[in-house]
Amino acid sequence: MSKYQEIKKLVREYFDAMENATPETVEEVIKQYTGENYQWRGVYPFREQDGATATAEVFWKPLMTSIKHLQRRQDVFIAGTNEVESDEQWVMSMGHFMGLFDEEYLGIRPTGKMINLRYAEFSCVENGKIVKTGLFVDLLGLMDQAGVYPLPPSTGKYFVYPGPRNHDGLLFEDAAPEEGVKTLALVNKMVEDLSALNRSGAMGITPDVLEPSWSKNMIWYGPAGVGASYTIPRYIAQHSLPFRSSLTDKVFNGHVCRFAEGNFSCFFGWPNLSNTPIGGWLGLPGGKVKADMQVVDVYYRDGDKLSENWVLIDIPFWLKQQGLDVFERTANILNPKF
């Protein structure tokens, strides 16, 4: 019952040290807790960084400089053994970074007010060190809160999302292993059902595809740009059908990490999916550029059904591959440097 206590302890200590770090000290903190060949993956424009120095310079220093008094407010904290690479142990933390948006960030003007940056962070631990990180943040959500949302109105509703309804997502103590087995089996069944739909070439979706795995009152907390949906019919209308009918050439590329603990499961890919827009998704026209999607999913199982799903998609990277840099365009229009 204590298989993951050591890696959980290490990651929690790392989080505490990072919260007390400054832009001047953050590099040393990262060096203290990470391995020699540390690999960091993040959303566009940060992407892939090798080592503590690059990770600090590219991601953490600018973030800590712009958003003061940065707090990590966790909603889910779990650990497990990677189903994709069975010798790997990972910890996943999901929630929001909260602070005061006091200096320009990615060309976005500061508000001087509180802001929440949604995140999911995956940490692979070996021999007492973090050796790999996947850190996804919802930058479109930050832009929305800062009043510079760059896309047409979304089909769902983006807001500062809550954690699990039962407030039981912080698994600092290890959960019973058999519960994680049940959760992962259900998630894998759901993924296979959707993969079979992709392979069929179908552009639509009906409730019978989802009902075996999902609660009728499911909540899907999607990325800013798409937003959240509640119940199977609204999820189909506000996300799944627009996604499926507006994107073609859909290919599932697999996952870097996938595991479960207790009633929670999570995964991310690099990339998870590839597809080509034919017009309509995100309120944008189509094109002929096939683009990759980096996606995080965090699931909550209630009984024998999935009831909540938190999703992050690196939409800015998906758009960048098609020639649109939302940060550059927003800065040039709303925060120009003449």
Side-chain angles (χ1 to χ4, degrees):
M1 295 294 288
S2 60
K3 183 176 182 180
Y4 302 110
Q5 283 300 291
E6 285 190 15
I7 65 171
K8 287 181 179 180
K9 181 175 182 290
L10 173 74
V11 171
R12 291 179 70 189
E13 288 176 352
Y14 168 65
F15 288 170
D16 287 344
M18 289 291 283
E19 190 155 312
N20 291 309
T22 66
E24 294 73 32
T25 64
V26 66
E27 180 181 336
E28 291 306 312
V29 171
I30 298 171
K31 285 181 178 178
Q32 180 183 348
Y33 287 92
T34 58
E36 184 177 350
N37 297 314
Y38 177 55
Q39 179 189 56
W40 188 93
R41 289 179 169 126
V43 298
Y44 179 78
F46 314 113
R47 299 294 292 157
E48 296 180 82
Q49 304 299 325
D50 292 324
T53 299
T55 301
E57 289 293 334
V58 171
F59 180 75
W60 284 108
K61 286 185 181 181
L63 181 67
M64 290 178 168
T65 299
S66 298
I67 303 179
K68 313 292 189 186
H69 305 288
L70 196 68
Q71 287 187 5
R72 180 188 296 264
R73 303 178 69 87
Q74 299 186 98
D75 294 311
V76 179
F77 181 89
I78 60 174
T81 300
N82 188 1
E83 189 179 52
V84 181
E85 296 287 344
S86 59
D87 59 336
E88 292 182 343
Q89 291 190 336
W90 289 74
V91 175
M92 193 284 301
S93 170
M94 185 201 80
H96 293 83
F97 294 120
M98 186 193 78
L100 298 172
F101 188 15
D102 283 355
E103 294 191 31
E104 184 177 306
Y105 186 62
L106 298 175
I108 304 164
R109 287 180 174 175
T111 63
K113 300 177 182 180
M114 291 173 62
I115 201 158
N116 287 275
L117 177 60
R118 187 169 169 239
Y119 81 89
E121 183 166 4
F122 292 73
S123 303
C124 180
V125 179
E126 291 180 5
N127 301 317
K129 296 288 185 179
I130 300 169
V131 296
K132 299 178 189 176
T133 293
L135 177 50
F136 290 72
V137 292
D138 195 334
L139 294 173
L140 291 181
L142 182 141
M143 296 175 80
D144 182 71
Q145 293 171 68
V148 292
Y149 179 69
L151 298 177
S154 59
T155 49
K157 177 61 179 176
Y158 167 77
F159 54 100
V160 177
Y161 298 151
R165 183 182 184 186
N166 293 329
H167 302 280
D168 56 355
L170 301 178
L171 303 187
F172 298 141
E173 301 299 325
D174 291 1
E178 60 270 20
E179 294 303 315
V181 171
K182 291 179 188 176
T183 304
L184 193 56
L186 182 59
V187 167
N188 286 343
K189 178 188 182 307
M190 179 273 302
V191 169
E192 176 51 36
D193 289 345
L194 293 179
S195 295
L197 195 64
N198 286 343
R199 291 192 295 269
S200 75
M203 299 294 281
I205 189 169
T206 53
D208 60 284
V209 177
L210 301 173
E211 287 168 347
S213 303
W214 291 97
S215 163
K216 64 179 182 179
N217 288 325
M218 65 172 288
I219 307 174
W220 189 82
Y221 300 105
V226 181
S229 300
Y230 176 41
T231 74
I232 287 177
R234 295 295 170 88
Y235 166 73
I236 290 175
Q238 294 171 354
H239 170 60
S240 189
L241 187 57
F243 184 89
R244 300 197 64 80
S245 62
S246 302
L247 303 171
T248 190
D249 301 328
K250 292 183 282 289
V251 176
F252 173 58
N253 298 307
H255 297 136
V256 170
C257 172
R258 184 175 61 245
F259 68 91
E261 184 179 17
N263 287 16
F264 295 87
S265 180
C266 60
F267 56 67
F268 80 94
W270 199 263
N272 308 50
L273 308 169
S274 302
N275 49 54
T276 302
I278 57 175
W281 197 59
L282 305 178
L284 299 175
K288 296 183 179 180
V289 179
K290 192 165 188 175
D292 293 333
M293 279 185 173
Q294 268 79 242
V295 184
V296 168
D297 276 87
V298 180
Y299 297 93
Y300 180 59
R301 174 179 61 84
D302 188 2
D304 61 354
K305 296 291 178 71
L306 300 172
S307 62
E308 296 180 89
N309 181 199
W310 297 263
V311 178
L312 291 96
I313 303 175
D314 190 357
I315 292 175
F317 178 62
W318 186 78
L319 293 171
K320 176 67 174 178
Q321 294 169 79
Q322 299 167 66
L324 173 60
D325 190 315
V326 294
F327 307 116
E328 183 179 286
R329 185 174 189 274
T330 299
N332 288 338
I333 294 171
L334 298 178
N335 193 17
K337 301 292 191 293
F338 295 117

